[in-house]
Amino acid sequence: MTEPMVLPDPSSRLEAVFERVHAQKMRGLAFVNPALRVEAIAFAPWKHYWLGVMLTPWAMNLLLAPREITRWRPLPPGEKRRYVFPAGEFDFISAHDDILGEFLICSLFSPVLQFADHAKARETARLAEIEAQLASPLSRRDLVHGNFKKAPNEPRG
């Protein structure tokens, strides 16, 4: 049996593409938060995908990208697919970029004007990604208000 073709962590490619979008199309628009920058956060293998949070000055999304290319199931842009995580079911929308290829996004915040600085937005993104994989549902209200449960290996504080 042959080893599956595994794609590398997409973080740097995601950041480059979303930074280009920011520079060419988004900068200065009313719904863009100038305190935030483009960052791919906590991308790690999940099943046969890469899962992480894509933070931009206009949105924060959970993002699934191909990791094991032969196990990726294509979906037309704009179509939805539901994935089951320990924390519950999440609907992802298919997107495509000429450089990135196909990826799937699940909106957490859009726009992201409630974040005063990048550090707060990054922490929320990191905790949201952790919560998606824990066996405890997280409502959007809890997410917005920062009502996160601590990850098992995080100190209680």
Side-chain angles (χ1 to χ4, degrees), residues 90-105:
F90 294 80
D91 288 330
F92 285 77
I93 298 172
S94 180
H96 184 273
D97 176 82
D98 290 341
I99 295 170
L100 297 172
E102 187 179 345
F103 58 96
L104 302 165
I105 58 172

Side-chain angles (χ1 to χ4, degrees), residues 87-139:
E89 297 180 358
F90 294 80
D91 288 330
F92 285 77
I93 298 172
S94 180
H96 184 273
D97 176 82
D98 290 341
I99 295 170
L100 297 172
E102 187 179 345
F103 58 96
L104 302 165
I105 58 172
C106 175
S107 179
L108 298 174
F109 293 94
S110 183
V112 286
L113 297 172
Q114 65 270 50
F115 296 104
D117 59 51
H118 190 80
K120 297 262 192 241
R122 178 193 297 128
E123 181 65 7
T124 300
R126 191 185 69 73
L127 291 170
E129 197 273 338
I130 290 169
E131 282 292 327
Q133 296 191 52
L134 294 178
S136 55
L138 177 68
S139 71

